[in-house]
Amino acid sequence: SRDTYIIATGNRTQDKSGANRLVSKLLGRVRLFEFVENIDDWCDWALDRGIAVEMIQFLRFRPNLLSDFDANRKINPTPRSWEMANAVNTTLPSDLYFSNIAGCVGEGAAAEYTGFRRIFENLPNIDGILLNWIDPRLRK
């Protein structure tokens, strides 16, 4: 039927990520679209899916780490792997937390993210600052 569409996804062969070249017979029967990650689109998606605010802020700060694929690395930061990293239990001891994040996005990205997260967690609460400024009775 003309109303039936089959959608498939895959990686590009030039990324050396296990993809094979499509045979000519198939290429003549499909439409190929290439999608490029976009930090704004990913952040909109992430906000709707409950991704941690600190992860979204980190990737806004370091947008090149949203997708930093290198075929020579075993583990790479990708939009999918950041989503997996978001599921890591934040109450784990710091060494286990780091190891789990590194297992999702690689050691370099994990080191940057966990460092950012430590700073983020120790920032003052902006709501408290504003409330204190607005209502002088709250000043100590």
Side-chain angles (χ1 to χ4, degrees), residues 17-85:
S17 58
N20 293 313
R21 185 181 170 283
L22 291 175
V23 295
S24 300
K25 293 176 194 176
L26 183 58
L27 281 172
R29 292 172 172 84
V30 299
R31 294 180 204 148
L32 295 177
F33 298 94
E34 188 170 322
F35 294 95
V36 178
E37 297 86 358
N38 175 291
I39 189 67
D40 292 328
D41 291 342
W42 188 86
C43 288
D44 288 343
W45 172 89
L47 284 169
D48 290 341
R49 299 306 184 292
I51 301 295
V53 171
E54 57 270 23
M55 183 175 286
I56 296 169
Q57 290 298 327
F58 170 72
L59 290 169
R60 282 238 177 254
F61 174 67
R62 296 282 281 129
N64 61 313
L65 288 179
L66 175 62
S67 184
D68 184 27
F69 184 81
D70 179 345
N72 295 316
R73 286 192 304 241
K74 290 181 180 179
I75 303 170
N76 290 283
T78 65
R80 180 175 37 235
S81 65
W82 283 112
E83 180 184 13
M84 290 174 17

Side-chain angles (χ1 to χ4, degrees), residues 10-11 14 23 26 37 50 52-53 62 66 85 88-89 96 99 130:
N11 295 318
Q14 63 263 39
V23 295
L26 183 58
E37 297 86 358
V53 171
R62 296 282 281 129
L66 175 62
V88 173
N89 186 336
L96 287 176
S99 296
L130 290 174

